[in-house]
Amino acid sequence: MTISERQKKLLQIIIDEYTYSATPVSSKEIIERYMPNVSSATIRNDMASLEKAGLLEKTHTSSGRIPSTNGYKYYETNILKPKLSNNIKSKLERVFAQRDISIDSVIDESVSIINEAFKLPTVITTEQDNELLKRFDLIQIDKHNALILIVTSSGTVNKTNIHLSDKKQLDDIGICIRIFNDRLIDTTIKNVPSKLDSIKEIIRNAVHEYEFCIRQIIEKIFDFNKIPATNKVRGTRFLTTQPEFKNINQLNKVLTMLEDTNVWKHISYNQQHTGKTLITFGNEIGNKDVAVASTNIGNHQLSIVGPTRMDYAQIKGLLDFIKSSVEKLKK
């Protein structure tokens, strides 16, 4: 899509104005405040062209325009330049200047600064691929049911129910659990698949019903797609400060999204493929009024959640700064 330099400037003005006012931007306002030397007819024509291109939208309650999702996407790709206010930068630098501070503490303190500065919630997603397996336990519930517990290094406990036909199957489970505790303790989750082939051969020679052990135990408890990343949500109270979320139904929709592990899996998958700070717009995650800015920091993903009307330049600048500062700490 090709638009003129004046139209790019016009799009940025409308995005900047709408970010801070949350009200549609009129041609009269643009002329009075930003483009006094451009005729009203030219501004109106340019706004109409941007609307026709799908970059602006006209609301029913005003003669002004607001950015569309495609407008924000175009802005992010072609216009946006990350920046960070000196005030926020100074606060973050004080966090990074602390001696012997852990990465987790850095992220926690940075999140507090983000919440207060932008009045937006954050989500810290910790991927479990690098989690260590610390313990396997077997609990017999009754003669036909047992529970297998896996404890990881973060303290997460994952449970799997196993249905039993007879005592031999319970004995087989006990044998498998002993083998897992002997062979898999302190193995990272991502390295488990490479160890399973040798473990299967050990189990084959030790149990009564090998197929039962493979189908009902190994395939079930090592289906790590069922083990979600842990999500820590901070600052949800700030959602009510945003005009877009004053409506209780819309607020509940956002709160539900924050708890939806599939949303964070989707963002995490895309994030891993870019390696950069990523903007995910709401139409990709089932809520058109929301956007998520995220970046990977070690085995954490730090995300800022807000209305589509976010200050992307500041937020992207902030996430880039935190990411690069943490990477320097780790050297």
Side-chain angles (χ1 to χ4, degrees):
M1 181 184 302
T2 302
I3 62 176
S4 70
E5 290 303 313
R6 186 180 64 240
Q7 289 170 341
K8 283 184 182 180
K9 183 179 179 182
L10 181 60
L11 178 62
Q12 176 155 13
I13 288 170
I14 292 172
I15 287 175
D16 289 344
E17 274 297 310
Y18 186 61
T19 296
Y20 291 103
S21 70
T23 57
V25 184
S26 67
S27 58
K28 180 181 178 182
E29 184 178 2
I30 291 168
I31 293 167
E32 290 178 350
R33 298 187 60 185
Y34 299 99
M35 294 181 167
N37 298 322
V38 182
S39 71
S40 59
T42 298
I43 296 297
R44 286 195 297 272
N45 286 338
D46 280 346
M47 291 174 79
S49 296
L50 290 172
E51 185 179 354
K52 186 176 181 180
L55 303 181
L56 294 180
E57 295 176 347
K58 187 173 183 180
T59 67
H60 298 295
T61 57
S62 167
S63 60
R65 305 299 203 285
I66 64 173
S68 66
T69 298
N70 284 336
Y72 281 115
K73 288 180 178 179
Y74 182 91
Y75 165 76
E76 183 205 0
T77 303
N78 300 283
I79 301 174
L80 184 150
K81 294 181 180 178
K83 59 184 179 180
L84 185 60
S85 73
N86 289 331
N87 181 41
I88 296 175
K89 186 177 180 180
S90 296
K91 290 179 179 179
L92 290 169
E93 285 175 337
R94 286 196 288 273
V95 172
F96 293 113
Q98 299 176 59
R99 293 184 178 182
D100 301 322
I101 188 171
S102 69
I103 300 301
D104 286 352
S105 296
V106 164
I107 292 173
D108 280 341
E109 292 192 33
S110 298
V111 161
S112 295
I113 292 171
I114 293 169
N115 292 152
E116 292 297 333
F118 293 100
K119 306 300 181 190
L120 295 173
T122 54
V123 179
I124 305 169
T125 304
T126 303
E127 295 297 329
Q128 294 199 17
D129 276 356
N130 292 317
E131 290 271 308
L132 299 176
L133 300 178
K134 301 303 292 186
R135 185 182 176 91
F136 294 83
D137 281 318
L138 171 64
I139 299 173
Q140 184 179 2
I141 299 171
D142 55 43
K143 66 178 182 179
H144 291 300
N145 294 281
L147 192 64
I148 296 176
L149 307 180
I150 303 178
V151 182
T152 70
S153 53
S154 69
T156 302
V157 179
N158 299 287
K159 305 173 185 178
T160 303
N161 290 301
I162 304 293
H163 181 73
L164 307 169
S165 296
D166 52 44
K167 187 177 181 303
K168 282 185 178 180
Q169 291 185 346
L170 179 64
D171 293 340
D172 283 349
I173 296 177
I175 291 168
C176 290
I177 294 301
R178 287 196 295 274
I179 293 170
F180 297 153
N181 278 317
D182 287 342
R183 300 278 176 164
L184 291 178
I185 296 306
D186 290 331
T187 299
T188 60
I189 286 176
K190 69 179 178 182
N191 288 331
V192 167
S194 64
K195 289 192 173 186
L196 282 182
D197 285 341
S198 61
I199 287 173
K200 286 177 182 178
E201 287 307 307
I202 296 170
I203 289 173
R204 183 190 295 274
N205 298 319
V207 300
H208 300 93
E209 297 184 35
Y210 176 70
E211 291 302 325
F212 165 79
C213 292
I214 296 300
R215 186 178 64 258
Q216 291 297 323
I217 303 175
I218 291 182
E219 290 181 0
K220 275 190 176 181
I221 71 173
F222 294 118
D223 181 3
F224 291 117
N225 289 324
K226 294 179 181 177
I227 304 178
T230 57
N231 297 317
K232 186 193 299 182
V233 183
R234 297 261 300 272
T236 54
R237 70 186 187 279
F238 292 116
L239 286 172
T240 57
T241 68
Q242 305 298 328
E244 290 85 345
F245 307 135
K246 293 290 187 184
N247 179 284
I248 190 65
N249 292 328
Q250 182 58 29
L251 177 61
N252 285 334
K253 191 174 179 182
V254 178
L255 292 172
T256 300
M257 186 204 80
L258 291 174
E259 296 175 359
D260 187 345
T261 56
N262 289 326
V263 167
W264 304 107
K265 280 184 178 181
H266 171 82
I267 293 173
S268 179
Y269 177 82
N270 291 336
Q271 182 75 63
Q272 290 169 4
H273 285 72
T274 65
K276 300 177 181 179
T277 297
L278 176 73
I279 306 297
T280 303
F281 293 95
N283 57 349
E284 300 174 45
I285 50 178
N287 191 331
K288 66 182 181 62
D289 296 318
V290 173
V292 178
S294 56
T295 197
N296 279 343
I297 302 172
N299 69 324
H300 302 291
Q301 178 178 281
L302 176 57
S303 303
I304 301 174
V305 182
T308 309
R309 181 190 52 84
M310 286 199 291
D311 187 343
Y312 294 106
Q314 282 280 351
I315 287 173
K316 202 164 187 178
L318 176 138
L319 290 175
D320 287 346
F321 180 78
I322 293 174
K323 180 179 176 69
S324 64
S325 297
V326 169
E327 288 172 351
K328 289 175 185 176
L329 282 179
K330 292 165 65 178
K331 290 181 180 178

